[in-house]
Structures are given as C-alpha cells and as structure tokens.
Amino acid sequence: MRAYNFSAGPSTLPLDVLEEAKRDLLDFSGTGMSVTEISHRNKAFSALVEEAEQLMRELLHIPNNYAVIFVQGGASTQFAAVPLNLMHNRKADYLVTGNFAKKAYEEGKIYGDAVAVASSADQTYTYIPDLSAVPFRDGTDYVHICSNNTIFGTRYVEFPDTKAPLVADMSSEILSREIDVNRFGVIYAGAQKNLAPAGVTIVIADRALIQNPLPACPTMLQWKVQDENKSLYNTPPCFPIYIATLVLRKLKANGGIKAMNEINEFKAGLLYDFIDNSSFYTNKVVKKYRSIMNVPFTTPNAELDDAFIKGAAKEGLVSLKGHRLVGGMRASIYNAMPVEGVKSLIDYMKKFERENA
Ligand SMILES: *Cc1c(COP(=O)(O)O)cnc(C)c1O
C-alpha cells in the first residue's frame, strides 16, 4: 500500500509521474538508455531541459527578460549565490520570518552589510511582519524574503513594495499559487518540496540584474553562466530535471497553477477548518498568514503528540512529526498530496481525538 506522505521535503510526488518514470526507466525517449545513463549533451536530454524551462515560463508567465535555470546545491547554496551575484554595494535587507529566512540572512552577513530589517522571532515566527512598517534602507542591492515558511507554516499574503530588487526563496510553495514574477528580481526554489526529487534548484532571475556577479563568485554559482549555457554548463542533475518535466507537464494538463491553487486552498481549508472547530488540536499561526503548504498543529500535550504520530504511521499517514524547532505535528500538503490524503488525515484526527480527549 502506498502511504500518504506528509513529509516537508523530500516529499510526495504524483503517483502517475512515478509510474511513468518507472515505465521509462530502461528506455528514455527511444534512446534505449535510462535518462540517468545518457549524456547530458544527448539531443533527447537537451530537449528535455528546454521543455522544462518552457513549461516553467508558461505556467508562471515568466517574461522573456528573465533567466530560468536549473542548478545544483539546493536552496541553501542560493543563500550564498544571492549575495555573490547581486551584492555590488555590499548592502542588503533581510526579512527574517523563519529558520530558512534566518539562514539566508546569516549567509548574507558573510558577504556584506546584511541587516534583518524585520523579524517575527518575537512570536516564534507565527506571523509575517507588517510590510508597510518595515524600515527598508536606501542603497541596498536587494531585499530578501522567504515567501512560505516551511517549518513554522506561514506565508506572505502580499509582497513588500521595495526600491531594491526583491529576492524570494519560494522553495516550499513554488507552483502552488499564482505570482506576478515581474514583482521580483530573483526567485529561487529547491525542487524537492513541490516539483521533483532533491538535487535540482530553480532560479528565475531578471537578466538585467545578473550580468556582473562579484569577482569572488564561483563560476558554478554565476547565474549568468548557467543562463548562457542553458543549464548545461556542467553535468546537470539529469534525473530530477526529468521528473520535474513530467510534473510540469501534468500540472499544465490539469489546468495550470490557477487550478492547482484552487485545490490547494480547498485542501488547506479542510484541515484548518477542522482544527479551528476542534478544542483538541491547535494551530498557532495568525490566520491571515497561514501557509496552504505546511500546516503545523499540536494536541494538548507532547505525549499525545507522540502517540498521534505513531498511530498515524500505522494507518499509512507518515512523516507527520513537526520540525524539532517547533515540536508537535506538521502536515505538508504540497501540490502532489491528493485531497483524499488530507481527508484521511482528518478522519484519523477525529478518531484520535475521540479516543484521547
Ligand atoms: C527546504 C527549504 C530550504 C532548504 O533547501 P535545501 O535544498 O535543503 O538546501 C530552503 N528554504 C526553504 C523555504 C525550504 O523550504
């Protein structure tokens, strides 16, 4: 039996995509070889990378003046790539709304005058700061945000208006809701939450901003180089790019991001409504800022949380343990989590409450 996997990442992938990958594993695109065996210079593979890029452009309405590249090293490597490509004046503002936002900020400090101009650490990251009150500084190279906070279960509802280019880590929500790419200078996302296996990271960057990386920027981290080489500067993560392409095709066939977002809102709504109507389960996030991807919740105490997680696993509802910084449970309900998975979780929550309240 296939489990409902609520892992925050690497996370569940669409079943039909996995089945297709399994069918094609020994013979990719009539080459008589697996996609993991062919040269990345093989035409069948470069066509795949091109298709992945085109699908990203189409689905997210990415204008032509933006680069769309597939790189390695995870979103965490981009924490360094951002300053190394953009920090010409050695000055950047960061909004610290969670653990990854903080890590990006700490990395930024290595390269220059990075300042946390707003933070929600005072309330354990359960909200997004009031964007109209953020004291953005003049003369910064960029403003960095994390648009969906994977561990704490918050997301930006609006994005800040900034003079400096806005840079967003969208790892845990890319392709889950419509965004206006023009509002951003750079968007990056590790693929293993909403798109593909771990190993590929997507960077969407306004080409005007990326022509002069800092002299210290390693070649591999230069977005310009990756863009000029169509993500084939060196051997790319072939298999994750292949799976990403299958996922993107499926997303397009199913109505694109608008349709996906409606399903995501519906799934998250089911879970939050249930939690809000229960006196047994709690979600501490300020309602307005609740993530539709990551839903942390608790029972009345830590012993019950443990029992909840163990009992859930027995029913095929797995990876529900919350991050160690938060405790309790976290249900990550990314694009690939079916509505039935969320309904099964709620059924189990009801049963657990009846037996333990
Ligand atoms: C998972 C995650 C990361 C870290 O990604 P890696 O690929 O492990 O480096 C960074 N930012 C956010 C928002 C994430 O959810």
Side-chain angles (χ1 to χ4, degrees):
M1 191 194 101
R2 194 167 148 80
Y4 285 123
N5 173 13
F6 294 92
S7 170
S11 48
T12 192
L13 285 163
L15 181 58
D16 48 0
V17 163
L18 293 175
E19 278 166 349
E20 186 176 348
K22 183 178 160 189
R23 276 198 305 276
D24 287 355
L25 189 62
L26 302 184
D27 181 8
F28 165 66
S29 227
T31 58
M33 295 174 278
S34 157
V35 70
T36 63
E37 298 170 307
I38 63 172
S39 165
H40 58 292
R41 308 287 174 201
N42 184 307
K43 280 211 178 69
F45 188 77
S46 47
L48 190 81
V49 179
E50 207 144 297
E51 185 186 346
E53 178 188 332
Q54 286 312 320
L55 284 166
M56 283 295 298
R57 288 189 184 278
E58 206 177 318
L59 287 163
L60 279 169
H61 309 292
I62 302 171
N64 285 334
N65 58 314
Y66 281 73
V68 177
I69 54 175
F70 300 92
V71 297
Q72 305 204 47
S76 302
T77 299
Q78 296 307 313
F79 297 164
V82 168
L84 283 165
N85 280 278
L86 301 178
M87 216 186 219
H88 301 103
N89 300 302
R90 304 285 169 133
K91 193 171 169 184
D93 287 344
Y94 282 76
L95 276 67
V96 178
T97 53
N99 199 47
F100 291 115
K102 184 154 177 266
K103 282 183 163 172
Y105 162 57
E106 298 291 344
E107 197 77 17
K109 282 200 286 190
I110 296 173
Y111 300 96
D113 171 21
V115 165
V117 286
S119 166
S120 49
D122 60 336
Q123 300 285 333
T124 52
Y125 301 119
T126 48
Y127 68 101
I128 301 296
D130 174 6
L131 298 175
S132 63
V134 178
F136 292 112
R137 298 178 299 164
D138 285 330
T140 51
D141 294 302
Y142 61 87
V143 172
H144 184 281
I145 63 168
C146 179
S147 64
N148 183 80
N149 296 281
T150 323
I151 294 173
F152 299 93
T154 64
R155 67 160 171 175
Y156 282 69
V157 182
E158 284 130 20
F159 296 107
D161 275 317
T162 56
K163 268 190 241 156
L166 187 59
V167 175
D169 176 358
M170 294 198 180
S171 295
S172 51
E173 70 154 354
I174 189 111
L175 301 161
S176 72
R177 61 168 159 164
E178 293 178 296
I179 48 155
D180 178 4
V181 172
N182 291 292
R183 295 277 318 263
F184 300 87
V186 178
I187 293 167
Y188 63 93
Q192 71 271 26
K193 316 289 164 69
N194 235 354
L195 184 58
V200 66
T201 301
I202 291 169
V203 180
I204 302 163
D206 181 348
R207 289 199 173 107
L209 297 174
I210 66 174
Q211 298 310 313
N212 294 299
L214 302 198
C217 184
T219 310
M220 276 293 290
L221 297 190
Q222 295 182 22
W223 296 328
K224 176 183 191 273
V225 167
Q226 300 288 357
D227 183 30
E228 286 166 355
N229 289 278
K230 293 182 165 295
S231 303
L232 294 171
Y233 173 75
N234 73 327
T235 317
C238 301
F239 191 71
I241 290 175
Y242 161 72
I243 298 285
T245 311
L246 300 189
V247 170
L248 291 167
R249 278 182 198 158
K250 182 187 151 77
L251 189 54
K252 183 181 165 185
N254 290 348
I257 297 180
K258 189 166 187 288
M260 190 73 251
N261 180 242
E262 278 165 20
I263 297 169
N264 287 333
E265 291 283 354
F266 176 72
K267 286 187 295 190
L270 287 179
L271 191 48
Y272 284 123
D273 282 351
F274 174 72
I275 291 170
D276 290 342
N277 287 316
S278 148
S279 50
F280 188 77
Y281 298 103
T282 311
N283 166 279
K284 294 200 183 78
V285 171
V286 174
K287 277 188 186 169
K288 179 179 173 189
Y289 299 114
R290 283 171 164 177
S291 168
I292 59 167
M293 296 278 101
N294 310 98
V295 182
F297 61 95
T298 52
T299 67
N301 64 59
E303 290 73 48
L304 283 173
D305 289 347
D306 278 347
F308 179 98
I309 293 160
K310 287 199 184 97
K314 283 197 190 119
E315 309 221 355
L317 305 165
V318 304
S319 307
L320 279 162
K321 194 170 165 51
H323 191 276
R324 61 196 143 76
L325 291 173
V326 180
M329 281 72 71
R330 171 179 47 174
S332 293
I333 49 174
Y334 296 123
N335 284 1
M337 173 58 65
V339 173
E340 303 79 65
V342 174
K343 286 186 175 163
S344 298
L345 174 61
I346 292 169
D347 286 345
Y348 171 72
M349 289 168 81
K350 284 181 189 157
K351 188 178 113 187
F352 188 83
E353 178 174 354
R354 265 198 314 276
E355 289 168 358
N356 295 280

